[in-house]
Amino acid sequence: MDSIERLKELVDSTDNLVFFGGAGVSTESGIPDFRSVDGLYNQKYDYPPETILSHSFYRKCTDEFYRFYRDKMICLWARPNAAHMKLAQWEQEGKLKAVITQNIDGLHQAAGSKKVLELHGSVLRNYCERCHKFYDAEYILHSAGVPACECGGIIKPDVVLYEEGLDQQVLQEAMRCITNADMLIVGGTSLAVYPAAGLIDYYRGNKLVLINKEPTSKDSMADLVVSGSIGEIFSRL
């Protein structure tokens, strides 16, 4: 039996499945993984992405932060792929209990998923730091320089920057879902970014599936490892 047939068998035999996904789920919708630094990026920016997307850089060089953020992080043209669609279908069928994601693009919700725990926030939500008025991604995209609220406050994206802590309520709920899951599928993540990567340790079952193009540090823990593109694999389930 090949690994995809085995995965299908595992999914068919459960009605308490949790999915935990990373950047690889979004790259198949054309969203660049900012860690893979391209030539164009090197020509345009004086700092690595991790520096620009840090809390201290946002405070110190807000203008430059927003230049990168509009350019690279807001991808409103992106559409859900086969992985997003299949997860939404499983939830509708009562199989899937939660999607836990490190992505900030809102594509799981666009595909129809309802229970989505966004560990790193979302580009679709932006708030005035002074009066907390809400602004959508379109507003940020079409603003110039540092986006300002009508009250004069600076608008900040509802994304978790480097040096910022994760939302504790979201994290607690993610732990609870993983702890109670019968089956856990981890897809499109190298499991290198903590604390998110540590969530896998809360799983207590015997149906841990890792799907990724490259090997991960947790492969030896998995009950099934499937190598390849997550969109292509999910389209065959």
Side-chain angles (χ1 to χ4, degrees), residues 3 7 16 28 45 59 63 69 77 84 101 105 116 118 127 134-135 156 162 164-165 181 188 202 206 209 212 214 231:
S3 58
L7 173 57
N16 180 7
E28 294 188 38
Y45 302 99
R59 287 277 172 246
D63 210 31
Y69 185 78
W77 42 263
H84 297 108
T101 181
D105 47 51
V116 182
E118 295 173 313
Y127 297 96
F134 172 86
Y135 288 88
K156 184 177 188 290
Y162 287 97
E164 292 180 343
Y202 287 88
N206 58 358
V209 180
N212 204 42
E214 310 293 330

Side-chain angles (χ1 to χ4, degrees), residues 162-180:
Y162 287 97
E163 304 162 351
E164 292 180 343
L166 301 190
D167 181 298
Q168 285 306 301
Q169 268 181 302
V170 175
L171 195 56
Q172 293 290 332
E173 181 59 11
M175 288 175 190
R176 190 191 69 77
C177 290
I178 288 175
T179 302
N180 295 331

Side-chain angles (χ1 to χ4, degrees), residues 1 42 70 85 133 161 223 229 231:
M1 183 188 292
N42 281 328
R70 284 188 192 96
M85 303 308 282
K133 184 180 173 181
L161 302 175
D223 300 288
S229 131

